[in-house]
Structures are given as structure tokens and as C-alpha cells.
Amino acid sequence: MRVYYKSNLKYLFSAALTALLLLTLTWKTSASHISSKYFYIPLTASRNFQQLDTVPKPRIQVTDTLPSRDTIPIFDSVIQIVDTFSLKMSRDSLDGPVTYEAEDSAVVLIQRKQILLYGNTKTQYQDITLTSPYVELDQQSNILTAISGRDSLGEIDDRARFVQGENNFSSDTIRFNFKTQKGLTKNTFTQSGEMFIQGKDIKKVGADTYFVSEGIFTTCNLDEPHFAFKSNKLKLINEKLAISGPTHPEFEGVPIPIYLPFGFYPLSRGQHSGMLAPSFATNEQMGLGLEGLGYYKVLNEFIDVTLRGNIYSYGGWLASFSPTYRKRYKYNGAFNLTVQNTRANFKGDPDFLNSKSFQVNWNHTVDSRARPGTTFGASVNAGSTQFNRLVPNNVNQNFQNQLYSSIRYSKTWQDKPYSLTLSANHSQNNNTRLVNVSLPDAGFTVNTIYPLQPKELIGSPKWYEKLGVGYNGAFRNQIAFYDSAFNFRNLIDTFQWGAQHSIPISLSLPPILGGAIMVSPNVSYSQTWFAQTFHRRWNNINQKVDTVINKGFFTDHSLSTGIGLNTAVFGTYNFKNSNIIAIRHVIRPTLSVNYRPDLSGKHYYDVQVDTTGRTLRFNEFAGGLYSFYGEGEFGGLSFQIDNNIEMKHRNRKDTGEAAIRKIRLIDGFGMSSSYNFFADSLKLQPFNLYLRSTLFEKINISANATLNPYERDSRGRNLDRYVWSSGRFTPGNITNGNIAISTQFQSKPKDSEKEAKKQEQLDMQRSDPALVGDQQRLLEYMQQNPNEFVDFNIPWTLGLSFSLNFFEQLRPDYSGFSTEFSSDLRFNGSFNLTEKWNFSADGYYNLNTRELQTFQMSISRDLHCWQMSISVAPVGLFRYFSININPKSALLQDLKVNRTRSFQTF
């Protein structure tokens, strides 16, 4: 039986008193007299009544003090009675109704003004919900008492649970006053953020404030936690902080004799200032050290700053300054300045090193909704070329040799076809120590406009109205220097500038042959400005080639015109009695007829390059900021053939449309080249070959190559003779190319709901600008400590990547060409040995030197609320091992036991 009671017993008393009053007023007696008294009636009780009677008009008004004799005559009429009692509300009345619910039974003790509820009770008052096996409610004191249920052995099998807003706790006994919002609980379990709190006695003195006696707090969610901090006195302000008296830790219930005189534990979500605990490290070259010591300061809701530092016993140190900033729907960014002083070994040691280096990082993003049509962004990664090599305990950063930076502003006019781009760019090679800085780079573009098209187009445009004209312009300044030999005078000498303009003209003609072939004529004019020319001359005295640089203003031109034809050819092969329904092959050939006059021939010249008198042909703009144009008149054909292959597969375990799946076997493969009828030799240009595919949606393959169809002499120069002209068939010589193959496999998560929640949290963090700084810091910490972030929900993962690059380059003495190869194999993976043990490894193998450049492996143990990991890098220039035991909770990420030792070869 389910019984519902609403409000308290005063509603029942109010209804009874009101009925009694009405009977008294309608009772005909001349001697009746009603004395004035106060009635405690809830505000929700009605004070206007209408009563049907046989008393005729007139209407009379009854006040709280009536005359001693009733003079109302008896008529058949309706009497309207207006309640004009002066009511005074009770001070202990509640602000709203209380709703009770019980599955078993409910007992109302009217004289005691108590209600007793039995069996899965539920009590609600405003934002408070209490569930318990047994509840007592005292109407006079507004105190509710909830008691847990026990089984036949006297063990608690169902606790009383209290929920108010974000406050949620369960207890053996709960006593709560609805009016004062205060309460007292016994043997209580509650949670605030990631902190679980247990207390023998907990007193609730406010909406979010509690006092705990004999309390323990932990991040372990078990009733008997693996570890905890115990304190006899504790004050808790929910979602804000906890303050404790003398505190000591316990592990598996065993107290540890380490006491803190007091404790201050931030529980608030989001950002709050505080110290950042360091970790102890040992480095063979730099000595003993503390790493990661720092302070995090929240200046306001828009800006926060992180200060970190490392210090080593041999005198080395590292300091970083990292502010982040954000403004919702406007912009967000992060800045980092790191300075390190590396002192390796003792002074006087043959391997002694004393070096100072720095690095600057800046990332800035503007929300596209802030200023439509205008964007600004920055990605800066710059610093000393020796910085990455000298960073301790970060193998991935040690091998990062290429750094790039870009600061970019762009504006697009909404009602006009114009766009402007301004940028500053930087690149540096940490191996050669060469740094290039381009500042500023400017680009202006006029999108294709149709001058012959009327402003108000009616119907389909005519063919001549599709004539389009555009403009692309670029301007660049650049300086280059070696940071090992930097000085301002050399910096000025390397200054270059240049500009490039192009005006494309296009026309879309109606398709021919029933729409099977598209026809596209085009005309393009380009002009490039150079600030200097490079003239190479043979030096008979020094027996070498010298280069003379002439500064000034120089131009180069190019004009081309042509007409292009393209179509698509489809071929399908159908299978019978097979899971494979069909395989389709699509061929997209493109053919164009082009003409380009020789406007750049005057910039080419021949130079002797060795003592035998052999000459090579150079362009005087070779070495400038922009590429130079080709020599000679071109009139010929350009052609390209693109292909892709798809397959339709039927899954016999499914039915309907879901059973048929389209699979791309090869995303694209083909070739392109051209033939110049006007050239006096070498008319056929090299073939460009390419292939790209994603096999089984798992294996990514891409390949590119250049095929030279001509024979060569002993010095690698092309002869005007095809390789197949000697009677034997050969496709030619591949002069350069690259192959990249990568794949990533992982098992399905053991708990799909947990994985979905994890991805949802990551997406939320990426989309919230206020969390950008925290996300960036966490990402950096994960990259430096991957063994602390093992996902036991994924049983195994495997990643492989292979790359091969080769190219021909002219030897420094111009004696011929040499082919340079570089290839490597990268691998990473992890698998769970058991449900609690995980093994992971990653490495980099150089196929050129046939050496394992880096190799790292770690083994991790899931300790429920803690995690242990052992990592080792036994090979390479940077070797280390570390043992780490830390809580999983981010709240206690600095509470860890760490032992790290590294060995480096500088």
C-alpha cells in the first residue's frame, strides 16, 4: 500500500477549525457569542467561503466580535460570509509543503503531532530529498529522523540517504531540522568532487557547511579505502575547501606515524592558486635535482600564470613562465618562456658543458564569431637550436630538430571578392643551426569575378558570361642566420625581399558529346620581383665556382595559355555467388593543350664547374625567395590520368541496405607529364607518379615518385635518348620519391559506456575556452609522463609507421649527382598482461644506420585508487629509468613516490 501525505498536520487542524466556525455562524441562536482568538492557519488555507442556505437576503457581514443577540431573520437566500479574523502566522511554520511517501505503511499520531513512515520511504521538501527504510517526523519541532535498516544478523543493509542540491550523503542515522536546515548524522559517507569523506559524527550547520568528528578523507571510493587521511576534527565547505586539524595517513587501515599539524584541501572545481610539488630526480651528468617545483596563480577569470623550475646539484637549472588567457567567444591562448642553464659534469672534466639556451612558445586562437570575416592566430615555436637536445628526461623533445612558427592575420570582405593576409613566419633546423625568419609576408587575392555577367542574372548564363578574371599577389621579406655565428652585420647581408603577381583568366564552355567531356580554356600571366641576382663564375686560381650577388630591382615574367579537356570513364565487374558484389574502376583522364612563350631565357647562363671544362646551366635568380620560371618556349600537350578502385561487399550476417558496404580499395593512383613540341631536345618531361590508399580503413599508404625517361652519362646528365631506345624495355630512372605507411590498431574497450563518457569529457574540454590552459598543461605532462596515464579499459593497442625518402642532389663540387636516402620505422603499443598489469613500449629504428635510436618501455600496475609504473629507456643518446607510484586522482597528482635517474651523452 502506498500512502501520500501532503504538508503537515496543521492543515488538518485548520480545516477542522474552519468547519466549526461555519457551523457556529449559521446556527440560529440569540444568545450565541463568539469570542475573539488567534488561529494558526497556514497561508495556503482559503479564507473566503460561500455556503448555500435557505436564509433569504439581505446579506450580512460577520466580524470577529459579534453582538450578543442574533438579529438575522430567517429567509430562503444565500448568505456570503467574509472571514475578517486577524490571523498571526506561527514562527515555526515552513516555507513550503512536505511530501511523504512510504511503500509499507504510514502512522499519524495526532496528539503527538508525529508521522511514522515504514518501508522505502521518500520525503521531499523544496530541494531536499531523503530516502530511508524508517522515518519519524515531529510536527512540533520540524525535526525528521531517518534510521537505516538492518538484516537478521543486525548488519546494515539499507542506509538512509540525504540529497540537497550537490550535497549527497548516506548515514546510519540522520536527524534534520527542516526549519533551521541543520542536522546531525552518525557514521556518514559523503563525496565532494573527487574527495570521499567518512565521519563518525557529522553536524550540518548550513546549506554547504559541515563539521566532522573522527573523520577520514580519501580519493578511494571503497567503504574501507586502501588509503586515507585521518583527522579528529574536520570542517568541510562543499565544492570549496576542507580544513582539518592534526592529520596522519593510513594505508590498509595501518596508521603511518607522519603527522601534519593542520591541513588545507581545495575542493572547488576549476582554477585555484597553489604550490606545485616537485619530483626528485637523479641525472648522471647534472647531479641530483628537484624537477617541476613551482606555483600556479589565478589572476582573474581570464588570466592565470604557472611558474616552474628545475634545480640540480651541479649548478644547472631551468625556469619557465607560462601564462594562459581566454575570453569566451572572443579568443584564447597560451604563452611559455623557458630558460635553462645546463651544467654537465664538473669543471675541468673533459665532458664538462656549460650552456645557456631558451625557448618561446605561443598559441593564440580567435573565435570565428568574434569578428566575422577577420581571423588572427599564432603558433610560435622558436628558441636556441641546442635547447631541445639539452632538455632532460624528454626523449621525444630531444629528437625534435625542426621548429616552425607562424603569426597570421586575414581579412575577407563580405560584400566584395577581396581577401588580405599578413603573416610572420619562422623556421629553424636544429642540426644545421640555420634559422630563417620571414617578416612580413603579405598576400592579396581577388576571387574570380565575371565582368561580362549582368548584375541580375535571369536564367542560365551564356557561355561568354562565364569568362572569369582573378588576381593573386604576394610580398615577402626574409633574413637568415646561423645562431652559432650570429651578428647584426651578417644579418643585414642576408636580407632578401621579393614579390609575385599572377592574373588567371578562365572560361567554362558548354560540355561536348552530350556532357561527357568538359572544356576549359585558360590564360595566365605571372610576374616575379627579385631583390638580387646570383652570378656564378669559375675561379681559375682557386679552382672552384664563386658566386657574386648583385642587389637591385629585377623582374621575371611568364605567360601561358591553353585549353583543357577532362572526362570520367567507369568500368564495373560484377560477381556471382560471392560476398563481393562488384568492383568499380573509375578513370579520370585530363588532356590540355598549352603554349608558353620564352620570356625567361635571358636569365639563364652557362658556367664552367670543374677543371675539365664541363659546364652547367644556371638561372640568375636561383637562390631567391621565389622560384624562377622555366627556360625555352613551350607548346605541347599536358596529360594526367587519375584512377580509383572501389568494391561493394555484402555481409551475409545482415539484411537490407545495412548488409551492403562500399569499400575503397585504392583512393587514387595515376601519373602526369607533358610533351613540348617546340623543344630542341628532351621534349618529354619526367613522369610524376602517385598512389594513396587506406586499406581496410586501417592502413594508410601514400607514395610519390618522379620517373626520368632519358638515359644518362657518367656524371648524371640527361642524354636526348629514351631509356627504351636501345631495344630493351625499361620504364626509366626514378630520381626521387617517398613512401609512407602507417597504421593504428586497438581492441574494443572493456566498458563502452566508460569510454564514451571519457570522449565526451575530452570534447567538452576542447570546446571550453576556460579549460584551454589546463588542457595544454595536462597534455604536456602526459607527453612527459606517458606511463602515468595508462588506460586499462583498452586491452591492447598497436601502432606502426614506416617512411622512406630518397632524392638526387648536385654534389658540392658539381661533379655529378648523388642519391640521398633516409628511412625509419616507428612502433608503439601496449597490452594488458592481466586486468591489473599493463606493458607498453615505443621506439624508433633508423634503417640507414641499422640502429635502434630510441626505445622506451614501461610496465604499470593498477592499484585501484593508485597506480604504479616502472619505465626504462636502455638505448640511445638519452637513457633513463624511473619508478613512480601515484594516486589516480588529479586532486592528489603531486602526492607521488618518484625515483628517476637519467644518463645523457651531450
Side-chain angles (χ1 to χ4, degrees):
M1 177 183 70
R2 188 180 296 270
V3 181
Y4 295 94
Y5 291 91
K6 196 167 186 178
S7 186
N8 50 35
L9 292 181
K10 293 184 178 179
Y11 285 96
L12 300 177
F13 298 148
S14 300
L17 291 173
T18 303
L20 180 61
L21 175 63
L22 292 176
L23 291 175
T24 304
L25 292 176
T26 56
W27 182 36
K28 182 182 178 184
T29 174
S30 60
S32 64
H33 176 76
I34 301 178
S35 62
S36 176
K37 292 185 179 180
Y38 291 114
F39 292 91
Y40 301 125
I41 301 177
L43 291 177
T44 54
S46 175
R47 298 172 56 195
N48 294 321
F49 308 92
Q50 283 189 343
Q51 177 178 336
L52 292 178
D53 201 350
T54 57
V55 180
K57 293 181 180 181
R59 297 177 180 176
I60 65 171
Q61 186 177 42
V62 180
T63 63
D64 58 344
T65 303
L66 298 179
S68 60
R69 182 175 179 83
D70 187 3
T71 59
I72 302 176
I74 299 176
F75 299 101
D76 293 335
S77 181
V78 177
I79 297 180
Q80 182 179 6
I81 301 175
V82 180
D83 181 10
T84 61
F85 287 105
S86 176
L87 301 179
K88 182 180 293 187
M89 299 304 302
S90 174
R91 294 180 179 179
D92 60 352
S93 61
L94 300 178
D95 294 333
V98 180
T99 302
Y100 315 104
E101 176 181 329
E103 281 191 359
D104 186 270
S105 60
V107 177
V108 180
L109 304 178
I110 297 179
Q111 292 185 355
R112 296 183 182 179
K113 298 183 180 180
Q114 291 182 346
I115 298 177
L116 309 180
L117 303 176
Y118 298 89
N120 291 335
T121 70
K122 182 178 181 181
T123 307
Q124 290 181 311
Y125 172 70
Q126 295 182 345
D127 62 339
I128 299 173
T129 300
L130 186 143
T131 58
S132 177
Y134 172 75
V135 168
E136 294 182 5
L137 176 61
D138 192 321
Q139 289 287 86
Q140 298 184 62
S141 61
N142 289 323
I143 293 178
L144 178 144
T145 303
I147 302 175
S148 298
R150 297 180 180 271
D151 57 16
S152 58
L153 299 178
E155 300 292 334
I156 295 177
D157 59 356
D158 189 7
R159 291 182 177 274
R161 302 184 183 278
F162 179 94
V163 178
Q164 182 180 19
E166 296 183 355
N167 302 327
N168 186 344
F169 56 84
S170 60
S171 306
D172 290 355
T173 304
I174 299 175
R175 287 176 58 84
F176 181 74
N177 190 309
F178 285 111
K179 186 63 179 177
T180 63
Q181 299 285 295
K182 297 180 180 180
L184 183 66
T185 65
K186 299 286 187 181
N187 297 329
T188 302
F189 297 82
T190 185
Q191 181 180 1
S192 180
E194 294 183 274
M195 184 74 75
F196 295 91
I197 302 171
Q198 302 178 22
K200 181 179 179 181
D201 297 304
I202 294 183
K203 184 177 181 181
K204 184 177 184 294
V205 297
D208 297 304
T209 305
Y210 305 85
F211 288 94
V212 183
S213 173
E214 297 186 28
I216 62 173
F217 45 99
T218 178
T219 57
C220 181
N221 60 355
L222 299 180
D223 289 345
E224 298 182 1
H226 293 109
F227 81 102
F229 297 91
K230 189 171 184 179
S231 177
N232 290 330
K233 295 180 180 181
L234 177 69
K235 180 179 180 180
L236 172 67
I237 302 177
N238 191 46
E239 300 296 341
K240 290 187 178 181
L241 58 88
I243 303 173
S244 70
T247 305
H248 69 275
E250 289 186 350
F251 288 89
E252 297 291 352
V254 178
I256 306 298
I258 301 176
Y259 280 82
L260 298 175
F262 64 91
F264 183 87
Y265 314 93
L267 301 177
S268 59
R269 299 179 181 178
Q271 301 171 309
H272 52 271
S273 303
M275 295 292 297
L276 302 174
S279 59
F280 180 77
T282 304
N283 189 296
E284 186 179 34
Q285 284 74 28
M286 303 175 69
L288 303 178
L290 292 176
E291 298 180 345
L293 176 65
Y295 186 80
Y296 175 71
K297 176 64 177 177
V298 179
L299 300 180
N300 52 49
E301 60 178 320
F302 306 110
I303 303 175
D304 57 80
V305 179
T306 302
L307 300 174
R308 281 189 181 272
N310 302 345
I311 186 170
Y312 302 94
S313 59
Y314 289 177
W317 54 266
L318 180 147
S320 67
F321 171 72
S322 305
T324 64
Y325 54 92
R326 85 257 345 139
K327 191 170 183 180
R328 190 180 293 272
Y329 309 125
K330 293 292 184 180
Y331 54 80
N332 64 80
F335 179 83
N336 176 73
L337 172 63
T338 303
V339 180
Q340 66 177 350
N341 178 34
T342 305
R343 286 179 65 93
N345 303 307
F346 291 102
K347 193 171 185 179
D349 191 290
D351 294 328
F352 175 73
L353 173 67
N354 188 6
S355 174
K356 291 184 179 180
S357 56
F358 73 94
Q359 187 172 47
V360 176
N361 305 97
W362 179 36
N363 293 285
H364 181 88
T365 304
V366 175
D367 196 310
S368 59
R369 295 168 292 185
R371 296 185 63 185
T374 302
T375 62
F376 177 78
S379 176
V380 177
N381 298 280
S384 304
T385 54
Q386 298 296 305
F387 181 88
N388 285 351
R389 189 172 68 89
L390 300 177
V391 171
N393 305 329
N394 194 333
V395 176
N396 294 329
Q397 191 171 352
N398 295 146
F399 284 92
Q400 186 178 358
N401 293 319
Q402 297 288 340
L403 296 180
Y404 301 95
S405 303
S406 178
I407 303 174
R408 183 184 178 90
Y409 168 83
S410 65
K411 178 176 177 57
T412 301
W413 282 263
Q414 301 295 329
D415 55 344
K416 297 180 180 179
Y418 309 140
S419 62
L420 172 68
T421 301
L422 299 174
S423 64
N425 301 287
H426 150 271
S427 66
Q428 70 181 62
N429 187 307
N430 291 341
N431 280 337
T432 63
R433 307 189 73 171
L434 177 63
V435 180
N436 294 297
V437 179
S438 299
L439 176 69
D441 279 6
F444 184 76
T445 301
V446 179
N447 297 329
T448 303
I449 59 176
Y450 301 92
L452 302 181
Q453 194 173 92
K455 293 183 179 181
E456 296 183 3
L457 184 64
I458 301 176
S460 300
K462 298 179 174 58
W463 67 269
Y464 58 84
E465 294 177 348
K466 297 181 181 181
L467 178 68
V469 181
Y471 169 79
N472 297 295
F475 178 82
R476 179 182 300 173
N477 294 285
Q478 180 177 291
I479 55 176
F481 59 90
Y482 291 92
D483 74 338
S484 57
F486 175 81
N487 64 69
F488 186 75
R489 182 175 180 179
N490 293 340
L491 186 67
I492 297 299
D493 292 339
T494 64
F495 175 77
Q496 294 188 69
W497 66 269
Q500 194 171 52
H501 314 271
S502 65
I503 302 175
I505 302 174
S506 61
L507 177 64
S508 297
L509 295 178
I512 59 177
L513 299 179
I517 299 177
M518 305 298 294
V519 182
S520 302
N522 64 85
V523 177
S524 179
Y525 171 77
S526 299
Q527 183 185 77
T528 303
W529 298 351
F530 296 93
Q532 52 198 3
T533 60
F534 301 83
H535 287 275
R536 296 161 181 84
R537 300 172 183 173
W538 174 254
N539 188 325
N540 288 319
I541 299 176
N542 297 325
Q543 300 292 303
K544 67 182 186 68
V545 176
D546 293 334
T547 301
V548 178
I549 300 176
N550 300 316
K551 294 187 177 182
F553 178 75
F554 309 94
T555 61
D556 196 6
H557 307 267
S558 176
L559 176 66
S560 65
T561 182
I563 183 171
L565 307 173
N566 63 82
T567 187
V569 180
F570 300 86
T572 304
Y573 183 81
N574 297 310
F575 292 83
K576 296 181 179 179
N577 301 323
S578 174
N579 292 341
I580 301 175
I581 301 175
I583 293 180
R584 187 177 73 166
H585 181 200
V586 182
I587 306 174
R588 294 182 175 86
T590 301
L591 177 66
S592 62
V593 181
N594 301 290
Y595 173 74
R596 185 193 68 217
D598 184 11
L599 301 180
S600 300
K602 60 184 178 180
H603 301 299
Y604 284 82
Y605 58 95
D606 294 317
V607 178
Q608 180 183 342
V609 295
D610 57 23
T611 56
T612 63
R614 187 171 65 92
T615 62
L616 291 178
R617 197 159 180 80
F618 292 90
N619 186 288
E620 64 179 354
F621 298 128
L625 292 181
Y626 293 99
S627 301
F628 50 86
Y629 300 115
E631 180 186 16
E633 186 180 22
F634 180 88
L637 299 174
S638 298
F639 53 89
Q640 177 180 354
I641 300 177
D642 182 60
N643 305 262
N644 68 59
I645 299 178
E646 299 175 339
M647 177 181 70
K648 278 189 176 182
H649 180 267
R650 178 186 291 108
N651 186 355
R652 296 189 180 276
K653 296 181 180 180
D654 208 340
T655 58
E657 296 182 358
I660 300 176
R661 184 182 176 192
K662 183 184 291 186
I663 302 174
R664 281 181 170 263
L665 300 178
I666 301 179
D667 295 334
F669 69 95
M671 52 165 282
S672 63
S673 182
S674 60
Y675 190 89
N676 186 5
F677 293 102
F678 291 170
D680 55 357
S681 62
L682 306 177
K683 295 184 177 182
L684 181 63
Q685 301 299 308
F687 292 89
N688 297 312
L689 311 177
Y690 63 90
L691 169 70
R692 60 184 185 277
S693 178
T694 304
L695 293 179
F696 314 111
E697 299 181 354
K698 286 293 184 181
I699 303 176
N700 301 311
I701 303 174
S702 64
N704 295 274
T706 300
L707 183 67
N708 185 6
Y710 296 101
E711 293 184 356
R712 294 181 168 186
D713 61 12
S714 59
R715 294 184 179 272
R717 294 180 298 181
N718 289 336
L719 302 176
D720 192 17
R721 187 169 60 246
Y722 297 120
V723 291
W724 53 80
S725 60
S726 59
R728 61 185 181 89
F729 176 77
T730 176
N733 304 308
I734 297 179
T735 58
N736 61 75
N738 64 80
I739 300 174
I741 303 174
S742 64
T743 185
Q744 186 73 34
F745 298 97
Q746 75 173 36
S747 63
K748 293 182 178 179
K750 293 186 293 185
D751 188 342
S752 57
E753 293 183 0
K754 181 179 179 180
E755 183 67 16
K757 184 179 295 185
K758 172 185 172 183
Q759 293 298 327
E760 182 181 351
Q761 292 177 348
L762 290 175
D763 293 340
M764 182 184 66
Q765 292 174 352
R766 295 189 188 102
S767 61
D768 190 349
L771 300 176
V772 170
D774 294 339
Q775 187 73 7
Q776 182 67 25
R777 285 187 294 273
L778 179 60
L779 181 61
E780 293 175 357
Y781 186 83
M782 291 176 64
Q783 290 174 346
Q784 297 178 12
N785 305 274
N787 53 307
E788 297 182 21
F789 296 88
V790 178
D791 190 355
F792 286 90
N793 194 39
I794 306 296
W796 61 268
T797 63
L798 176 63
L800 297 171
S801 66
F802 168 78
S803 66
L804 171 65
N805 296 275
F806 61 93
F807 58 93
E808 289 185 345
Q809 67 177 8
L810 187 65
R811 295 191 180 98
D813 59 356
Y814 302 99
S815 60
F817 294 86
S818 62
T819 302
E820 301 292 332
F821 281 87
S822 64
S823 60
D824 60 74
L825 176 66
R826 297 175 182 269
F827 56 90
N828 65 80
S830 68
F831 62 92
N832 293 346
L833 299 172
T834 66
E835 289 187 356
K836 301 296 183 179
W837 285 97
N838 177 274
F839 176 81
S840 62
D842 65 89
Y844 166 76
Y845 185 81
N846 191 320
L847 296 175
N848 287 28
T849 61
R850 298 182 180 180
E851 292 182 355
L852 190 63
Q853 298 294 324
T854 64
F855 179 69
Q856 304 173 74
M857 58 183 177
S858 64
I859 186 167
S860 302
R861 174 69 161 89
D862 184 0
L863 301 174
H864 184 256
C865 49
W866 284 64
Q867 181 171 295
M868 180 189 71
S869 62
I870 303 174
S871 301
V872 60
V875 299
L877 298 177
F878 307 90
R879 307 178 305 280
Y880 73 93
F881 75 86
S882 68
I883 300 175
N884 191 80
I885 303 176
N886 64 284
K888 290 183 179 179
S889 171
L891 185 67
L892 301 176
Q893 65 177 5
D894 294 324
L895 181 66
K896 59 184 177 182
V897 180
N898 176 268
R899 180 71 170 91
T900 300
R901 188 166 185 178
S902 59
F903 311 87
Q904 295 176 257
T905 303
F906 293 105

